[in-house]
Amino acid sequence: MDLKSNHAAPVLTDPVPINKSRLGIHSSLMTYSGPGAAFSSGLCVTIPRKKPITSVLDDIRSAGWLDAMKSSSPPRKKLSKDLNIEVTSDDDHIYSSWILKYPSALTSFEQIMNSAKGKRIALFMDYDGTLSPIVDDPERAFMSNAMRAAVRNAAKYFPTAIISGRSRDKVYEFVGLTELYYAGSHGMDIMGPVRPIMTGEDHPNCIRSTDKQGKEVNLFQPASEFLPMINEVFRSLIENTKEIKGVKVENNKFCASVHYRNVDEKSWPVVAQSVHDVLKGYPRLRLTHGRKVLEVRPVIDWNKGKAVEFLLESLGLNGDNVLPIYFGDDRTDEDAFKVLRERNQGFGILVSSVLKESSAFYSLRDPSEVMQFLKQLVNFYKLTAV
Ligand SMILES: O=P(O)(O)OC[C@H]1O[C@H](O[C@H]2O[C@H](CO)[C@@H](O)[C@H](O)[C@H]2O)[C@H](O)[C@@H](O)[C@@H]1O
């Protein structure tokens, strides 16, 4: 892996659009009805800018922001216990095609264990939506004690890392397990074990540090030069969005998140425009979309997929005898799923109760199924360990 290439061209992490016809999935399961709907009400909102409204809408419309905002958390069809989807027989067919493509990791457990024979499993997990349920207040996205226990147990048997969009400190605060490895800011802030190979001239962004327990660690921060810029942008984003009810701006150290989950949909164009205005002054920053969140991050060739590769290397798990499993629910996790596919090694597991296109191999419906899978994994290893 070329760790020097972090100055390279932008890597856009937005997902490949869903091929609805191929999946046969009704559009209402995937996205909102279309851009027209986005503006019918949007035209009535007060936009606190001098710019004429048509040009405002053109800016964010041409950038595709509004469509992406609307599809970032598609309206849900309620899931039934048995079939995952409650509605017509057409929808049963839709679900059947989808689950064939992304089989449940629980029902495919045996198959996964067969692939793991003679290999060392390494676990990678996203946090929000994977270990903790999505909630309205990002400050209250706590994981349950039962989930914490399941992750702790899993980490006794398998090297385990959390790779989150949040700042590393914040995700550590939520998870609270010292036995794991943590990567924050979508992989742009990795704390890993000390390995001679990861230090020195080859890896200028890799420095020695100590963790909260005083243990020596390696800290890899490929976007370190962006720290002052992100702090500045964070302040501007707060200033620019302060009039919009429900907006929350979060500082994730090497990226900043603008949450619009609690903003009236009529005001989404205002959110988009406010962020767009700030971003215009920073050509070295770019925007990605998460679950009802706009994320501003450096234009560097680094993402969660690269973080997985980096961790595998720094944990000494780079051989063919390792089976990495990555659990994630969001668009940024697709980079990690892709890396595993490209390496033809291990599996991505999409955590989603909404049918969506993904580079993952398997699916689980929600964090409770992730917990079930982890418990099953540990039990399996306890039984088979000699
Ligand atoms: O990579 P992740 O660990 O999944 O982090 C991605 C973002 O997660 C958080 O936002 C999301 O979860 C919130 C709490 O459930 C929810 O309110 C929000 O709408 C979601 O987008 C986090 O707050 C962001 O900073 C992360 O980038």
Side-chain angles (χ1 to χ4, degrees):
M1 182 178 47
D2 177 12
L3 294 172
K4 288 185 188 158
S5 60
N6 56 38
H7 48 37
V11 174
L12 299 175
T13 55
D14 284 355
V16 178
I18 294 165
N19 183 342
K20 293 175 201 162
S21 56
R22 184 158 59 84
L23 276 177
I25 295 176
H26 191 275
S27 59
S28 66
L29 286 173
M30 301 299 195
T31 58
Y32 280 66
S33 40
F39 298 107
S40 53
S41 51
L43 285 169
C44 304
V45 301
T46 318
I47 295 191
R49 316 234 144 267
K50 298 215 173 71
K51 216 167 175 184
I53 187 144
T54 43
S55 119
V56 162
L57 292 179
D58 280 352
D59 274 357
I60 50 179
R61 181 190 270 155
S62 64
W65 286 26
L66 275 175
D67 285 347
M69 284 170 84
K70 284 179 172 289
S71 63
S72 77
S73 248
R76 267 155 204 259
K77 287 278 178 189
K78 288 266 179 278
L79 306 181
S80 81
K81 273 200 194 120
D82 308 326
L83 253 189
N84 212 11
I85 241 168
E86 173 197 20
V87 265
T88 64
S89 56
D90 269 4
D91 287 325
D92 287 353
H93 169 71
I94 290 160
Y95 173 70
S96 307
S97 330
W98 187 83
I99 202 72
L100 266 182
K101 197 167 174 203
Y102 308 102
S104 160
L106 288 171
T107 51
S108 311
F109 188 76
E110 212 179 302
Q111 195 183 332
I112 298 175
M113 290 306 99
N114 280 337
S115 318
K117 266 191 193 136
K119 295 189 179 171
R120 183 148 189 226
I121 290 180
L123 300 174
F124 296 92
M125 298 164 192
D126 162 59
Y127 182 74
D128 288 280
T130 297
L131 296 182
S132 68
I134 293 293
V135 292
D136 283 347
D137 181 358
E139 294 303 317
R140 303 195 59 77
F142 306 118
M143 71 195 273
S144 66
N145 285 334
M147 177 65 99
R148 185 169 297 104
V151 176
R152 180 189 283 123
N153 270 340
K156 285 183 193 155
Y157 296 87
F158 318 106
T160 303
I162 307 288
I163 304 188
S164 172
R166 296 197 183 242
S167 74
R168 184 169 46 76
D169 282 349
K170 187 75 194 179
V171 77
Y172 175 72
E173 195 184 307
F174 276 134
V175 177
L177 296 172
T178 52
E179 51 272 68
L180 311 187
Y181 302 99
Y182 291 88
S185 310
H186 294 296
M188 288 181 282
D189 187 5
I190 306 179
M191 190 177 268
V194 173
R195 300 260 306 171
I197 192 178
M198 308 306 292
T199 56
E201 281 177 18
D202 276 353
H203 306 293
N205 288 307
C206 201
I207 55 162
R208 286 278 167 94
S209 182
T210 47
D211 68 9
K212 289 204 162 62
Q213 288 70 47
K215 198 174 77 197
E216 221 187 342
V217 289
N218 265 356
L219 201 54
F220 183 62
Q221 298 180 328
S224 52
E225 61 172 300
F226 287 87
L227 200 53
M229 195 186 281
I230 294 290
N231 283 329
E232 190 179 288
V233 161
F234 171 66
R235 288 191 294 271
S236 305
L237 289 170
I238 289 184
E239 181 58 30
N240 257 32
T241 57
K242 67 181 181 202
E243 311 274 309
I244 311 168
K245 196 165 164 248
V247 152
K248 181 170 175 58
V249 186
E250 194 182 358
N251 189 336
N252 286 330
K253 191 160 184 170
F254 296 109
C255 44
S257 298
V258 181
H259 293 274
Y260 56 93
R261 181 170 295 279
N262 302 317
V263 175
D264 188 309
E265 197 175 329
K266 285 185 196 143
S267 299
W268 289 7
V270 192
V271 178
Q273 185 58 41
S274 307
V275 177
H276 191 268
D277 284 350
V278 172
L279 213 56
K280 270 196 298 205
Y282 294 91
R284 295 179 71 210
L285 299 180
R286 68 185 171 95
L287 182 106
T288 55
H289 297 266
R291 297 179 73 167
K292 294 201 174 152
V293 65
L294 299 174
E295 304 199 276
V296 175
R297 51 153 89 187
V299 175
I300 63 165
D301 184 14
W302 199 263
N303 54 41
K304 288 186 173 187
K306 301 240 174 186
V308 167
E309 292 192 305
F310 182 91
L311 276 162
L312 284 171
E313 184 185 321
S314 58
L315 295 171
L317 296 171
N318 235 355
D320 289 346
N321 58 342
V322 174
L323 188 100
I325 302 181
Y326 186 105
F327 304 77
D329 70 313
D330 211 345
R331 298 178 188 200
T332 56
D333 300 310
E334 291 296 327
D335 294 315
F337 297 153
K338 274 184 212 141
V339 158
L340 297 186
R341 265 193 193 267
E342 280 157 18
R343 289 167 70 110
N344 200 14
Q345 188 186 19
F347 308 110
I349 301 183
L350 173 69
V351 183
S352 179
S353 53
V354 172
L355 313 189
K356 56 186 178 188
E357 192 68 274
S358 170
S359 295
F361 275 87
Y362 296 103
S363 66
L364 290 170
R365 282 188 284 196
D366 51 29
S368 72
E369 285 202 350
V370 173
M371 185 166 79
Q372 212 181 319
F373 183 90
L374 293 177
K375 285 182 178 172
Q376 215 162 305
L377 191 61
V378 167
N379 286 340
F380 181 88
Y381 269 75
K382 274 186 183 162
L383 288 175
T384 54
V386 192

